Amino acid sequence: MNSPRIRHNDYSVLSPPEIGDWQPYLPVSVVIAAYRHQDKLDLTLAALAAQSYPAHLLEVIVVDDGTDPPLTLGQIRPENTRLLRTTPDSRGRSNARNAALEVAEGHVIHWLDADMVTHHDEVEAHMRWHHLADYLVVMGYVRYVDEEWPGPAEVHAAVSAGAGEKLFDLDASEPHQWIVDLAESTDGMRTAKNMAYRVHITNAASVNARLLRAAGPLATELVLGEDTELGYRLAQHGAAFVLEPAARSWHLGRSMMMRDREQVTRYNAVFVPDLVPHMRWQRTHPRRQYMVPYLDVAVEAAGATYEDIRATVDGVLASDLPDVRVTLAGPWASLAEDRRAPQHSPNLDLLLIHGLYRNEPRVRFVDRTPRSAAPVPYRLLCPPGWAPRPNVLRRLLAHAAEHGYGLVSIALDETDVVVTARLEHTGAFARARLLAAPGEALDDVVEEVAGTYWLDGATWGFQPARDAKEAKPGSAAAGPGRAEAGRLKSENERLALRVAQLTEELDRLRAERAPSSHVRRRRLFR
């Protein structure tokens, strides 16, 4: 599929067909995790049996998560419906949905709760978007009813006739109010940028199956909030999130959040932020570390000196952004220390670095830098020998997040070439990889889907190893002395001029290739 290029989360570039006026061809798997409440499950299946989406393209997988006596499939159900059961050592909603995901055959996975009554065209409303792009997450609208409900035959008849809205009293029902508010404040999620993932809720969402499998299944270590965490991971793999008001469902009974908001929120505030770095309002402790950091700083250690690597790593670890990890790439597995004269080892610099940081939990050692930093949202590729001052990383990330840049290039020095550090947004690069044509420069696609920017490293507070080494405790925060300040000013002016030249050259090249669109984007995101 040659998908259109959505910038940030502005899916306005997509024009879905009118419901009932198009020809679907993609198969969809509806996944339902169920526990008890046979009566509600019967209504859910009866409504799915009345969908406008072609029956031969629709499969339904129900997973019984330990009901006693076991659940059964009602007489009114879609033709292609099957029932699985979890085992006693694999209970919970995440495990149940993951079991279905392993056998699902659809191009799209449509999550649905076992107490939902979908309207006649609910599946079709989802699927018309997935036919346009293969990196989407689509969320429908749910209204919660707390009243007596009809039987399966009545539900099937009403939904088949397109009269599902008459099954319950609309005025007595409740919407997912926070989704309604979020939609109103973000133009239907089109301006939500990095926070769009929050709309992914597994009671009425659909996800491209390939994208879902790339991001990984639901986190079984989470009992609540697992859908939010998966939405975050999907974003780091390039997903765009669509709100579809035409995908309507009734929810039989009030949600857990409606019934017990305070305790659910209290529970989620402990477990979910550990895995979702974008929840900055929950990560307020000045020194705490988290399972998934906000920033990974990748340094190629092979061929560099101990002094240069140490200056870079120590500079990062001294940052006032504690939510950071360092990834050192090098031949660590093949290092062998001479037990008699280690000081003469040909790999002495790497041995020293490994010995210095092997017990530092914020530093990890890898053979090569991974292609993607997912699920970490930002990665700084920093050449050894350059150290950020303590407040640089926090400011740099705030700048990138504010403007939504997919790439910020930092000019550090220029000899024969420009020495550059790169701050990459993981989700932007993931989407660029999904969309890039053969031979197309990835950075050019990132410019299209998120925007790119150049900064002067010296002005922003990156310093060479020699200066970082000579700095006294506290001097980095206080700034350089008078003589050094003069030298830095001259150096800053030279680098600033070079950055301006590079930016001008970049604009010229882009203007030659696409005169209107690239120049317009440059003005918008400068």
Side-chain angles (χ1 to χ4, degrees):
M1 181 184 293
N2 186 17
S3 296
R5 298 183 175 185
I6 297 172
R7 187 175 180 86
H8 298 304
N9 203 63
D10 186 2
Y11 54 88
S12 300
V13 296
L14 304 180
S15 298
E18 292 294 326
I19 291 176
D21 190 26
W22 64 297
Q23 187 61 48
Y25 61 87
L26 294 178
V28 55
S29 299
V30 178
V31 169
I32 301 172
Y35 177 62
R36 301 191 301 184
H37 300 292
Q38 179 75 58
D39 55 342
K40 293 182 179 180
L41 175 62
D42 290 344
L43 301 188
T44 300
L45 293 177
L48 287 172
Q51 288 297 301
S52 64
Y53 202 71
H56 71 282
L57 296 175
L58 175 69
E59 75 165 349
V60 177
I61 305 172
V62 179
V63 185
D64 182 354
D65 191 29
T67 305
D68 186 19
L71 295 171
T72 61
L73 297 178
Q75 291 185 346
I76 305 177
R77 62 179 189 265
E79 295 177 9
N80 187 10
T81 302
R82 49 183 159 163
L83 178 63
L84 308 177
R85 291 186 175 88
T86 58
T87 57
D89 61 345
S90 181
R91 297 289 193 227
R93 290 179 301 183
S94 293
N95 282 309
R97 292 187 174 111
N98 289 343
L101 181 59
E102 289 182 5
V103 300
E105 298 177 356
H107 182 91
V108 172
I109 305 298
H110 182 7
W111 310 118
L112 205 64
D113 277 354
D115 49 7
M116 308 278 287
V117 173
T118 50
H119 289 221
H120 178 60
D121 48 16
E122 195 268 352
V123 175
E124 181 184 350
H126 278 266
M127 291 302 294
R128 63 182 183 149
W129 289 98
H130 291 289
H131 281 71
L132 300 178
D134 60 2
Y135 57 99
L136 298 183
V137 176
V138 181
M139 181 67 195
Y141 276 70
V142 180
R143 294 196 71 91
Y144 295 80
V145 294
D146 196 11
E147 58 183 276
E148 291 186 4
W149 43 85
E154 185 178 348
V155 165
H156 183 264
V159 174
S160 295
E165 69 275 3
K166 297 181 180 179
L167 285 169
F168 300 98
D169 183 355
L170 180 66
D171 293 335
S173 65
E174 294 182 61
H176 240 141
Q177 191 58 50
W178 72 269
I179 288 184
V180 174
D181 294 342
L182 189 62
E184 291 179 353
S185 63
T186 61
D187 188 21
M189 303 304 294
R190 293 174 182 85
T191 63
K193 292 186 179 178
N194 287 343
M195 301 308 293
Y197 73 89
R198 296 174 60 197
V199 80
H200 178 253
I201 302 176
T202 48
N203 69 351
S206 60
V207 188
N208 175 273
R210 176 201 49 76
L211 183 69
L212 177 57
R213 291 188 172 98
L218 286 133
T220 56
E221 64 267 33
L222 290 176
V223 181
L224 301 177
E226 74 284 355
D227 42 7
T228 299
E229 190 274 336
L230 178 58
Y232 164 76
R233 270 190 286 128
L234 287 165
Q236 305 320 306
H237 283 77
F241 297 80
V242 175
L243 269 175
E244 175 49 275
R248 298 171 296 159
S249 300
W250 298 107
H251 188 287
L252 304 175
R254 304 175 77 230
S255 70
M256 183 186 297
M257 181 65 79
M258 291 174 175
R259 298 191 308 268
D260 202 8
R261 175 179 296 275
E262 183 177 343
Q263 291 304 317
V264 171
T265 301
R266 184 169 181 254
Y267 182 94
N268 285 344
V270 171
F271 294 99
V272 179
D274 203 32
L275 299 170
V276 182
H278 279 317
M279 299 179 74
R280 307 309 296 158
W281 62 95
Q282 296 283 8
R283 293 189 171 192
T284 57
H285 195 282
R287 304 209 184 283
R288 257 213 64 188
Q289 302 299 300
Y290 298 89
M291 184 175 293
V292 180
Y294 193 44
L295 173 68
D296 180 76
V297 179
V299 181
E300 291 290 338
T305 67
Y306 163 78
E307 288 76 17
D308 278 354
I309 301 171
R310 178 173 182 173
T312 299
V313 175
D314 283 354
V316 170
L317 297 182
S319 171
D320 63 4
L321 176 81
D323 199 359
V324 65
R325 178 182 72 195
V326 177
T327 296
L328 293 175
W332 311 109
S334 63
L335 292 181
E337 187 174 17
D338 188 327
R339 303 302 296 177
R340 298 185 183 278
Q343 71 275 19
H344 298 306
S345 169
N347 295 314
L348 179 60
D349 289 82
L350 292 178
L351 285 166
L352 293 174
I353 285 297
H354 188 268
L356 185 64
Y357 296 113
R358 62 188 173 186
N359 294 315
E360 167 54 63
R362 288 182 292 170
V363 175
R364 66 171 183 165
F365 299 87
V366 299
D367 292 335
R368 60 179 58 87
T369 302
R371 185 180 74 156
S372 171
V376 180
Y378 287 100
R379 175 167 67 184
L380 177 67
L381 300 168
C382 187
W386 294 88
R389 294 182 182 276
N391 66 348
V392 170
L393 299 181
R394 177 179 50 78
R395 290 169 50 236
L396 185 62
L397 286 166
H399 182 73
E402 178 186 359
H403 297 280
Y405 294 133
L407 169 65
V408 177
S409 299
I410 303 113
L412 300 173
D413 194 11
E414 181 184 9
T415 52
D416 295 334
V417 295
V418 177
V419 180
T420 307
R422 292 165 56 93
L423 179 67
E424 298 179 349
H425 183 267
T426 303
F429 271 81
R431 187 178 300 176
R433 291 188 189 96
L434 294 173
L435 297 172
E440 186 175 13
L442 200 61
D443 286 6
D444 288 347
V445 187
V446 171
E447 161 66 19
E448 286 194 54
V449 300
T452 62
Y453 199 71
W454 276 87
L455 293 175
D456 170 38
T459 300
W460 271 72
F462 282 86
Q463 54 187 344
R466 63 179 180 272
D467 298 330
K469 180 180 178 182
E470 294 169 359
K472 299 291 190 297
S475 64
R482 184 176 301 175
E484 178 66 7
R487 187 191 68 78
L488 284 175
K489 181 179 179 181
S490 176
E491 184 72 4
N492 290 353
E493 291 172 350
R494 184 182 68 81
L495 280 175
L497 176 62
R498 182 55 176 158
V499 168
Q501 293 170 341
L502 287 169
T503 301
E504 183 179 349
E505 177 67 11
L506 185 61
D507 281 341
R508 184 186 66 76
L509 291 172
R510 286 173 175 156
E512 290 176 357
R513 295 175 60 181
S516 60
S517 62
H518 282 90
V519 171
R520 177 178 61 83
R521 279 192 292 272
R522 200 112 193 123
R523 283 197 291 266
L524 284 172
F525 287 87
R526 272 295 178 85

